[in-house]
Amino acid sequence: MQKHDAVIIGAGPAGLNAAIALRKHDLNVLVIDEFPHLGGRLLGQLHEEPNGEWWNGIKEAEKLVNEAKALNTEMLTNVSVHHIQRKDGAFVVHTNRKNYEAKNVLIATGAAETANPIPGWTLPGVMTIGAAQVMTNVHRVRVGEKGIVIGVNVLAAAIARELLLAGIRLHSLALPINNAVTDEQSHPKMVMERLSRIAHLAPSPLLRFGGKFAKYKWAQNIAVSFYPKKGINMWDVPIHLRKAVKEINGTEQVESVTMVDITKDGEIIPGTEEEIPVDFVCIAGGLYPLAELAAVVGVPFKYVEPLGGHVPVHNEKMETPVEGVYVAGNITGIESAKVARAQGKVAGLSIAFRMKKDAAIQKEIEKAMDEVKTTRDNATIQFHPEIARGRDDIHAQFNKYLNG
Amino acid sequence: MRDVIICRCEEVTLSQLEEIIKHHDPSARELKLRTRAGMGICGGKTCRPLLDKVLQKLTDKPPTDDIPLKVQPPVRPTSLAQLGGSGDET
Ligand SMILES: Cc1cc2nc3c(=O)[nH]c(=O)nc-3n(C[C@H](O)[C@H](O)[C@H](O)COP(=O)(O)OP(=O)(O)OC[C@H]3O[C@@H](n4cnc5c(N)ncnc54)[C@H](O)[C@@H]3O)c2cc1C
């Protein structure tokens, strides 16, 4: 069986940019993705940056794919990886097609969405906000006539805008009702606190509005206490922090939701129930690193909340403690596509260095690592205010592994 | 209010999980074995983070660095022929 220098799992910005870096060093690379199109989560993205420029993910994906193709990169779509085994210092990558052998593997599988489970959330017509994004921007299918978004966070705001641009009507963005799972997502003060700390960056008026309360807890408290009953409009759609969806109703599919007013601590105000007719519901519960393959190949993990939960231990060179296994992109923590792309380059170069031990590559790696930092510092979309601290935590953990 | 389903494949509800947690103070694995939550055809794709959250919230234990429920291959639904090696080798 042919042994590839590197098998890359995931053709998002991280995986594709890594492949480009490896091909530039003339290494033998195979990229595998289970989606029918190359580009990963880029394909759904469309946002306006604070400077008025648009970030068009489909175009960005095209650029990367074209560059990879020009370098004769072997890329497979519609192929799922279900296991990675270590074998004689190398790896066997198991897929639904066949097995591939590799001297190095890069796991660049991105992120997955969490749900906000509330009564009725399993009815047809309820989907994650990311599913609505893919249907709208990738498959060009209308998700419904009029819907509601449950969950108020960066992803919800970004994708709500995309749905509106596509001509889909939204009743509002509102919080999920409180339970053991929705927890901080259902708490007006916590939602406000998080929004206000990332506000200055975000492209949306919602988040800029939050920015006014950024510095002071008391200001956030007041903002939540006196939050207008009819919500605050963003592109003519109300954002509610003092209304929650208690239940999704319907027999065969979504017909309506039941909304209630809530106190600033997220408790239901009795007698405020209101039934709102909608034919689809988007649940925006947030993102977490999709790291299952790193787990099965034996990479250790650390829980780092600002990065989105359990992340595979790795260093700034994108190496894991398992020699030959690399990670890049959202599997290492939830950040924007630009950061993922920059991390991919580092990972590709690190693999190239392992294969060639060329001092010039070492220099390139250092430059690419700086690029990751600059990109992070200049990010216009950020999923967690403490991202930099999260990064320090996980890198420190890697050093502990090596030394202890 | 209606109950909330947490594991869709095995139709396990939040109140069933709460009940088990109250009476058994279970580990993630025990919670899974007692309720079948996370053991359905999708292999916990949707409910894994929800189960982690329920357990963490209701037992008030800080999250551990290890992933609470061990991840087992295959991480995608796979046919036996593929696992058996007949779809294998070049
Ligand atoms: C629903 C959603 C919406 C987002 N919206 C935005 C946004 O608007 N703006 C923004 O900046 N960021 C957004 N993000 C964050 C996004 O993750 C990053 O922007 C960026 O796409 C991450 O790049 P990546 O290369 O790490 O992963 P991805 O772009 O997610 O690519 C990972 C690829 O790996 C493939 N894959 C995963 N597992 C397997 C497997 N077992 N076998 C084969 N292939 C596999 C997937 O099919 C996917 O194509 C969003 C994320 C999600 C999940």
Side-chain angles (χ1 to χ4, degrees):
Chain A
M1 200 195 288
Q2 181 196 12
K3 201 177 263 174
H4 296 276
D5 291 324
V7 166
I8 298 177
I9 303 142
L16 288 174
N17 217 23
I20 290 167
L22 280 159
R23 287 298 302 138
K24 282 185 177 161
H25 287 282
D26 209 26
L27 290 160
N28 170 323
V29 185
L30 173 67
V31 181
I32 302 176
D33 199 298
E34 61 190 347
F35 200 62
H37 307 285
L38 299 165
R41 287 291 172 181
L42 273 177
L43 297 171
Q45 297 176 13
L46 184 62
H47 27 107
E48 195 178 0
E49 315 239 306
N51 66 6
E53 274 176 34
W54 285 82
W55 170 257
N56 179 340
I58 293 183
K59 288 236 170 75
E60 297 299 328
E62 229 168 58
K63 276 190 223 159
L64 289 168
V65 171
N66 287 344
E67 190 174 357
K69 280 189 180 152
L71 292 160
N72 291 321
T73 311
E74 199 183 334
M75 298 185 275
L76 301 173
T77 51
N78 286 313
V79 178
S80 288
V81 175
H82 60 74
H83 190 25
I84 306 171
Q85 262 180 319
R86 294 195 240 183
K87 188 182 150 197
D88 311 329
F91 303 92
V92 183
V93 177
H94 297 247
T95 78
N96 58 346
R97 200 169 114 170
K98 58 181 195 182
N99 296 348
Y100 299 92
E101 288 200 10
K103 293 177 194 153
N104 300 278
V105 290
L106 168 60
I107 311 176
T109 44
E113 295 183 84
T114 1
N116 277 326
I118 63 169
W121 76 290
T122 52
L123 275 170
V126 183
M127 63 196 85
T128 63
I129 190 90
Q133 182 188 46
V134 170
M135 280 173 75
T136 307
N137 292 345
V138 183
H139 303 301
R140 310 283 165 133
V141 173
R142 195 181 177 88
V143 288
E145 290 301 322
K146 183 160 189 177
I148 186 166
V149 177
I150 304 179
V152 178
N153 50 46
V154 173
L155 193 65
I159 301 180
R161 177 90 200 270
E162 297 174 14
L163 296 177
L164 296 171
L165 287 170
I168 292 162
R169 289 189 299 156
L170 292 175
H171 173 273
S172 59
L173 275 68
L175 300 182
I177 201 69
N178 178 266
N179 62 39
V181 187
T182 58
D183 197 21
E184 69 271 347
Q185 301 263 355
S186 65
H187 200 289
K189 270 198 234 160
M190 291 187 201
V191 172
M192 171 61 101
E193 198 207 329
R194 188 181 272 212
L195 283 179
S196 54
R197 284 161 79 196
I198 43 188
H200 56 291
L201 318 149
S204 79
L206 155 72
L207 302 168
R208 262 185 241 136
F209 127 82
K212 290 187 226 147
F213 313 109
K215 277 208 200 106
Y216 308 104
K217 256 224 151 79
W218 60 265
Q220 291 163 17
N221 249 322
I222 290 176
V224 171
S225 299
F226 295 102
Y227 198 85
K229 252 221 158 92
K230 58 180 194 343
I232 288 181
N233 276 15
M234 169 188 78
W235 307 300
D236 294 330
V237 172
I239 313 284
H240 291 299
L241 292 186
R242 294 289 300 275
K243 283 181 192 286
V245 176
K246 189 180 140 201
E247 206 158 346
I248 304 170
N249 316 303
T251 39
E252 297 290 314
Q253 59 180 58
V254 175
E255 289 163 21
S256 70
V257 299
T258 307
M259 219 182 208
V260 289
D261 290 357
I262 51 174
T263 65
K264 63 183 185 341
D265 299 310
E267 273 151 38
I268 297 180
I269 300 175
T272 56
E273 294 194 356
E274 188 188 350
E275 194 173 324
I276 293 152
V278 288
D279 68 346
F280 75 95
V281 173
C282 295
I283 293 192
L287 301 172
Y288 70 96
L290 185 60
E292 34 189 8
L293 288 171
V296 298
V297 75
V299 178
F301 276 73
K302 183 166 172 62
Y303 184 85
V304 188
E305 200 262 334
L307 298 181
H310 286 96
V311 287
V313 172
H314 62 278
N315 63 9
E316 270 182 284
K317 294 181 181 162
M318 302 290 136
E319 300 165 324
T320 71
V322 179
E323 206 186 338
V325 176
Y326 297 75
V327 287
N330 271 204
I331 186 178
T332 72
I334 307 305
E335 290 193 79
S336 80
K338 288 180 188 172
V339 175
R341 185 173 62 188
Q343 288 178 319
K345 184 167 179 184
V346 175
L349 291 169
S350 289
I351 295 174
F353 181 75
R354 181 169 185 243
M355 298 304 294
K356 296 193 156 175
K357 298 280 183 266
D358 174 350
I361 300 180
Q362 193 73 45
K363 284 251 151 54
E364 279 188 79
I365 295 177
E366 270 156 38
K367 231 179 103 199
M369 277 165 41
D370 283 342
E371 254 173 65
V372 172
K373 282 206 184 114
T374 333
T375 312
R376 178 169 299 135
D377 292 343
N378 297 328
T380 52
I381 183 163
Q382 190 179 306
F383 292 88
H384 197 291
E386 304 276 336
I387 192 80
R389 181 173 61 82
R391 290 291 169 200
D392 291 344
D393 275 7
I394 193 75
H395 299 151
Q397 189 71 14
F398 181 89
N399 291 332
K400 258 194 222 155
Y401 253 93
L402 286 201
N403 304 327
Chain B
M1 205 173 2
R2 273 180 296 154
D3 206 351
V4 193
I5 289 179
I6 297 294
C7 169
R8 308 177 70 139
C9 303
E10 298 290 322
E11 298 198 343
V12 183
T13 63
L14 182 56
S15 40
Q16 284 172 313
L17 293 167
E18 284 170 343
E19 206 45 28
I20 297 286
I21 293 169
K22 201 161 84 195
H23 289 111
H24 299 279
D25 188 23
S27 65
R29 183 173 145 78
E30 187 181 347
L31 184 64
K32 174 181 90 167
L33 293 176
R34 282 186 182 272
T35 60
R36 292 199 55 82
M39 292 175 80
I41 182 167
C42 85
K45 286 255 121 37
T46 314
C47 68
R48 175 188 282 279
L50 310 183
L51 291 171
D52 290 355
K53 178 75 200 193
V54 174
L55 197 61
Q56 187 195 316
K57 177 77 191 173
L58 297 182
T59 60
D60 219 10
K61 288 179 195 145
T64 54
D65 283 339
D66 290 327
I67 296 178
L69 271 181
K70 193 167 178 252
V71 184
Q72 305 273 18
V75 302
R76 291 288 178 277
T78 306
S79 73
L80 284 172
Q82 271 158 12
L83 290 181
S86 60
D88 194 304
E89 267 42 47
T90 10

